[in-house]
């Protein structure tokens, strides 16, 4: 485990996946990308895991692509070609994902932050879409970042590459919460406890609903949502939840 760049530890239904490559600010090197994907797949396949916390060691959450590696690769073999699979795994995870940032995120690291369902950062953390300042485009990460941001804010920050703080990241929708460094663990635990109250299948279905484009026709939209609602009302999970509510006890999925 000491040689790993990504660690996965499961405790009480929570898989904590930790980026541990502080020597290069947890940049998305070839090795870290592969280990992170492996850790995510392991957490998704583990029936004991209810939710995932994406954390880090060192002072930086993730600096984006490893530019030292990128400079030695041609366009077809650029490491960025593997990032969509990684970010998509977080975005489409049926299990809720919390991003926990004690420090800055840049470029591709922001793609991971935006892909998470909940993102919490220490107030000291900073952010920047710095791609244009080195002559590239924040194209791949835009797939998950743009749904989070107001268009006016996206134009400003993508085009200027300006560094902004955690408070502004909350205001523009990139983060859910910014707290002092000493409160970071407690804030992540607060969200984890709330997420653990949700039924696993209902959480997965709700996540899918939230990321699925809605039809323009309201009648079609209502028909689809009625079918989804009816399917889950008739499930064993819902029956257990309603029994637990009537009996004033916790449902079976709460630990």
């Amino acid at each position: 485990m000491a040689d790993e760049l990504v660690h996965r530890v499961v405790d009480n239904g929570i898989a904590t996946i930790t980026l541990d490559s502080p020597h290069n600010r947890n940049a998305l090197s070839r090795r870290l990308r592969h280990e992170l994907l492996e850790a995510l797949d392991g957490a998704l396949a583990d029936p004991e895991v209810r939710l995932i916390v994406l954390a880090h060691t060192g002072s930086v959450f993730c600096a984006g692509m490893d530019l030292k590696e990128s400079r030695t690769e041609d366009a077809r073999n650029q490491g960025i070609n593997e990032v969509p699979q990684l970010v998509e795994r977080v975005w489409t995870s049926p299990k809720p994902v919390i991003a926990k940032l004690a420090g800055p995120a840049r470029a591709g690291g922001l793609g991971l932050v935006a892909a998470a369902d909940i993102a919490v950062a220490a107030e000291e953390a900073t952010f920047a879409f710095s791609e244009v300042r080195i002559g590239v485009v924040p194209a791949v990460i835009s797939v998950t970042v743009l749904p989070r941001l107001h268009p006016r804010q996206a134009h400003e920050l993508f085009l200027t590459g300006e560094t902004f703080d955690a408070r502004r990241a909350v205001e523009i929708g990139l983060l859910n919460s910014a707290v002092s460094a000493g409160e970071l663990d407690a804030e992540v635990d607060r969200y984890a406890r709330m997420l653990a109250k949700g039924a696993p299948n209902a959480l997965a279905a709700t996540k899918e609903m939230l990321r699925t484009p809605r039809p323009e026709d309201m009648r079609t939209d209502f028909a689809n949502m009625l079918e989804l609602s009816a399917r889950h009302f008739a499930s064993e999970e819902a029956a257990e939840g309603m029994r637990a509510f009537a009996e004033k006890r916790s449902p079976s999925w709460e630990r």
Side-chain angles (χ1 to χ4, degrees), residues 113-227:
V113 173
D117 301 289
I118 304 289
V120 181
E123 292 171 332
E124 297 81 0
T126 62
F127 307 87
F129 301 100
S130 52
E131 286 86 346
V132 294
R133 295 192 176 189
I134 61 168
V136 297
V137 177
V140 171
I141 66 167
S142 72
V143 176
T144 55
V145 171
L146 290 183
R148 305 295 191 199
L149 304 188
H150 186 282
R152 181 69 70 185
Q153 307 285 1
H155 276 247
E156 174 192 345
L157 296 172
F158 273 40
L159 292 172
T160 65
E162 179 187 19
T163 299
F164 55 100
D165 62 21
R167 289 296 178 188
R168 188 172 188 203
V170 172
E171 292 172 0
I172 65 176
L174 184 63
L175 296 178
N176 296 87
S177 180
V179 297
S180 68
E183 296 174 323
L184 184 59
D185 288 344
E187 184 72 344
V188 170
D189 288 344
R190 184 177 73 87
Y191 277 111
R193 287 195 303 272
M194 290 191 289
L195 290 169
K197 293 180 181 294
N201 292 332
L203 286 170
T206 300
K207 282 199 59 172
E208 183 177 7
M209 178 191 72
L210 288 168
R211 66 175 179 261
T212 300
R214 308 302 282 259
E216 292 185 6
D217 178 60
M218 184 179 287
R219 183 171 297 178
T220 301
D221 201 9
F222 272 129
N224 292 342
M225 292 303 99
L226 281 170
E227 191 279 330

Side-chain angles (χ1 to χ4, degrees), residues 238-255:
E240 163 61 11
M242 293 179 206
R243 280 194 303 269
F245 179 80
E247 297 167 6
K248 298 182 179 180
R249 61 172 175 82
S250 297
S252 59
W253 55 78
E254 283 195 49
R255 297 175 184 274

